[in-house]
Amino acid sequence: MSTVAAVFATEVPWYTGVPTKLLNKTTLIAASTDHLPVYTLTFEIPKNATFTGRAKPHSEVRIDMGDVVKMVIPNYKPKSYSMSALRDDEFDITLKVYPNGRASGFLDRLQIGEEMNTFGISANRSRQKGEYVGIVAYGVGITEGLPIAKAELEKGDAKRVVLLWASRTFDDTFWNEDIASLMKQYPNTFKMVHILSREKRDGCLHGRVNPEVLQHVFQPTDSEDARFLSVGTKEMMRMTDEYFASNSFHMPKHHLIPKM
Ligand SMILES: Cc1cc2nc3c(=O)[nH]c(=O)nc-3n(C[C@H](O)[C@H](O)[C@H](O)COP(=O)(O)OP(=O)(O)OC[C@H]3O[C@@H](n4cnc5c(N)ncnc54)[C@H](O)[C@@H]3O)c2cc1C
């Protein structure tokens, strides 16, 4: 074998990731007949790991820019998960486990102390500044929505950050203490709105997200300065862009973090 062929034969593809140990599993919503379970998995950040190609170190994942972690599911493929928290030596992902879900099922079965391959990847986004930030999170999309809302509040240039979270019922929500503490910390800047499709509850909107709901929830003083983000399935995000456009917030002009 020539030297070049030998190098190619041994080179590990960039999307293989590096072994990453599961340290902890926290239940946010327990499995029941009515609710799919949601867990936070805490992993140790691999030390002295080398990343090539588009893979990047976990410590360089920019939660505020929509970067994600790729969880390499054996005999399947790398699947995207938002990093819900990043600390010096650890990171979290928060996931909903779907019935027969290939990736979420594997992650659910991973035992504390076991390793799986993971890597960080850039979402290739830039941020548009604006005094008004509106975020719509659909279901488990809050795993990206809340950390970005928090990051926007910490940056300090937004005068208002409004987060609309669409869930089936209030029992499908989690992180309510984190949300309450953000409301306490930023009483004049942060506003949280829940919309529930299958429950009527005081203090929450009822129904599905539509242009009228968005107009009611997001009321920037200066519409030119308004920036929005929606987090959900591709179809939900495309639909939300259309709703915003019908309210005169045309995308990508009003995207908070448009793709470059
Ligand atoms: C950029 C990005 C970030 C993401 N971040 C997160 C995250 O932080 N947490 C998280 O839990 N997931 C996240 N996801 C979704 C995740 O990548 C997987 O798609 C999800 O875990 C389902 O994969 P699965 O293989 O378990 O399910 P599959 O085997 O693909 O599907 C199993 C069943 O579940 C249903 N299903 C799958 N996905 C959804 C869905 N989103 N809503 C409703 N039903 C569904 C399918 O229709 C099917 O019936 C993210 C996706 C992207 C693109």
Side-chain angles (χ1 to χ4, degrees), residues 68 76 79-82 94-96 98-105 140 143 233:
V68 294
Y76 190 31
K79 289 282 275 190
S80 299
Y81 288 86
S82 300
T94 296
L95 80 148
K96 183 176 265 193
Y98 295 98
N100 304 318
R102 214 160 153 184
S104 57
V140 78
T143 58
T233 61

Side-chain angles (χ1 to χ4, degrees), residues 32-254:
S32 70
T33 43
D34 296 338
H35 306 286
L36 293 176
V38 176
Y39 302 104
T40 292
L41 302 183
T42 299
F43 289 89
E44 184 176 41
I45 293 182
K47 294 190 180 69
N48 306 319
T50 308
F51 296 90
T52 56
R54 292 179 57 212
K56 68 183 207 174
H58 303 78
S59 58
E60 291 175 20
V61 164
R62 291 280 307 267
I63 293 178
D64 61 329
M65 300 295 273
D67 289 355
V68 294
V69 198
K70 288 283 189 180
M71 309 301 289
V72 185
I73 311 299
N75 305 317
Y76 190 31
K77 57 182 174 182
K79 289 282 275 190
S80 299
Y81 288 86
S82 300
M83 196 182 261
S84 51
L86 174 62
R87 296 175 290 278
D88 285 348
D89 302 319
E90 305 170 347
F91 69 90
D92 293 343
I93 61 165
T94 296
L95 80 148
K96 183 176 265 193
V97 179
Y98 295 98
N100 304 318
R102 214 160 153 184
S104 57
F106 173 84
L107 291 166
D108 185 30
R109 289 187 297 273
L110 196 69
Q111 300 293 309
I112 290 169
E114 286 183 345
E115 292 184 335
M116 67 177 293
N117 280 18
T118 73
F119 59 93
I121 196 159
S122 167
N124 269 331
R125 291 181 166 200
S126 57
R127 172 177 180 252
Q128 300 200 88
K129 287 187 183 173
E131 289 195 346
Y132 188 97
V133 173
I135 299 175
V136 187
Y138 293 95
V140 78
I142 196 72
T143 58
E144 180 179 335
L146 185 64
I148 289 187
K150 187 164 179 268
E152 285 296 322
L153 290 163
E154 284 163 358
K155 282 179 185 146
D157 56 341
K159 292 203 172 121
R160 196 85 170 125
V161 175
V162 179
L163 174 57
L164 172 65
W165 186 5
S167 312
R168 289 191 324 159
T169 69
F170 201 75
D171 284 347
D172 289 291
T173 67
F174 48 91
W175 286 349
N176 289 307
E177 281 175 18
D178 302 82
I179 290 167
S181 90
L182 273 188
M183 286 163 64
K184 205 170 159 198
Q185 200 179 343
Y186 301 97
N188 302 319
T189 318
F190 181 53
K191 185 175 178 198
M192 176 77 214
V193 181
H194 286 278
I195 181 164
L196 306 175
S197 61
R198 298 203 191 162
E199 181 188 350
K200 285 194 172 162
R201 187 185 170 101
D202 281 353
C204 300
L205 301 177
H206 176 70
R208 294 191 178 277
V209 172
N210 60 36
E212 292 70 38
V213 166
L214 297 183
Q215 197 151 40
H216 170 74
V217 172
F218 301 116
Q219 299 190 359
T221 342
D222 179 358
S223 61
E224 278 306 296
D225 236 355
R227 301 287 173 248
F228 299 102
L229 171 76
S230 72
V231 192
T233 61
K234 270 192 190 140
E235 176 56 22
M236 285 166 168
M237 295 191 290
R238 192 193 52 73
M239 187 185 72
T240 311
D241 278 2
E242 282 177 16
Y243 293 165
F244 276 124
S246 72
N247 290 345
S248 302
F249 294 115
H250 294 278
M251 303 298 175
K253 185 167 177 261
H254 289 279

